[in-house]
Amino acid sequence: GENVEQHPSTLSVQEGDSAVIKCTYSDSASNYFPWYKQELGKRPQLIIDIRSNVGEKKDQRIAVTLNKTAKHFSLHITETQPEDSAVYFCAASKRSSGSRLTFGEGTQLTVNP
Amino acid sequence: DVKVTQSSRYLVKRTGEKVFLECVQDMDHENMFWYRQDPGLGLRLIYFSYDVKMKEKGDIPEGYSVSREKKERFSLILESASTNQTSMYLCASSLLGYSYEQYFGPGTRLTVT
């Protein structure tokens, strides 16, 4: 089955800096890659996703890039703010697996004021 | 407004007890999921269901069973709770298909003593 690895497990940045979280996946058939954010004590929520026919997608301060050849994708957060502090999960899915997502281990991002 | 609710936020049970965790969604979603969340291990899929009375095993189904008698309700059952099932349990739902957002419930923190 699919295996998704996520790095780093913890990331601490100063407010205003950029943060990058990277994920690799094993199944070359995977073609949908969402990112979920979980604030402390809250439920995970989708923040951005990308499909394999696209190399990059941006939404204000967040962006996701995908390299299908290398089988990795990354989340980029620019101009970080304290409210960006959360656990971020990447995930992968493919059409034949139905609605099933395989999640990475998560990254605890801390933005220091 | 999207809503996924879980029957309890915190639950304490004794080893060997039968435990029921219930999830209800009001979005008429076909898919429902049960995940287990442990630090450093991400979100691991226990079971999911794409229709009433249908279920499929996820990555860690051992020691768990599920029931879906109505479209809006998905129950996770621990037949004989053990201490290694102490964890956060998250329910989610989504539309049928492989690239739709999963909406999560608030989670149930289960402690087995």
Side-chain angles (χ1 to χ4, degrees), chain A residues 1-109:
Chain A
E2 174 68 278
N3 183 48
V4 177
E5 294 187 356
Q6 184 171 346
H7 300 280
S9 56
T10 61
L11 180 59
S12 182
V13 300
Q14 290 299 121
E15 184 176 358
D17 286 352
S18 294
V20 180
I21 302 169
K22 298 181 180 181
C23 289
T24 60
Y25 60 98
S26 60
D27 190 338
S28 57
S30 290
N31 54 10
Y32 174 64
F33 307 95
W35 286 87
Y36 284 78
K37 175 185 180 183
Q38 185 179 29
E39 296 177 16
L40 186 63
K42 297 192 176 180
R43 65 194 78 189
Q45 290 188 297
L46 178 71
I47 55 171
I48 195 167
D49 57 15
I50 191 168
R51 289 164 175 78
S52 61
N53 58 345
V54 175
E56 184 176 3
K57 184 177 179 180
K58 287 183 179 179
D59 183 3
Q60 298 182 23
R61 294 187 298 107
I62 61 172
V64 58
T65 58
L66 171 65
N67 183 328
K68 284 216 74 178
T69 303
K71 290 191 284 187
H72 68 70
F73 57 110
S74 300
L75 178 72
H76 304 254
I77 307 174
T78 59
E79 300 172 22
T80 53
Q81 301 168 4
E83 52 264 38
D84 295 328
S85 295
V87 178
Y88 292 81
F89 294 99
C90 63
S93 179
K94 58 185 178 181
R95 190 178 297 275
S96 62
S97 67
S99 308
R100 181 177 178 150
L101 288 174
T102 301
F103 284 90
E105 301 90 343
T107 296
Q108 173 68 63
L109 173 65

Side-chain angles (χ1 to χ4, degrees), chain B residues 31-49:
Chain B
N31 291 324
M32 296 189 75
F33 308 85
W34 276 107
Y35 293 94
R36 173 174 170 161
Q37 182 175 13
D38 300 288
L41 297 178
L43 300 168
R44 292 182 293 166
L45 183 64
I46 304 172
Y47 269 96
F48 70 102
S49 168

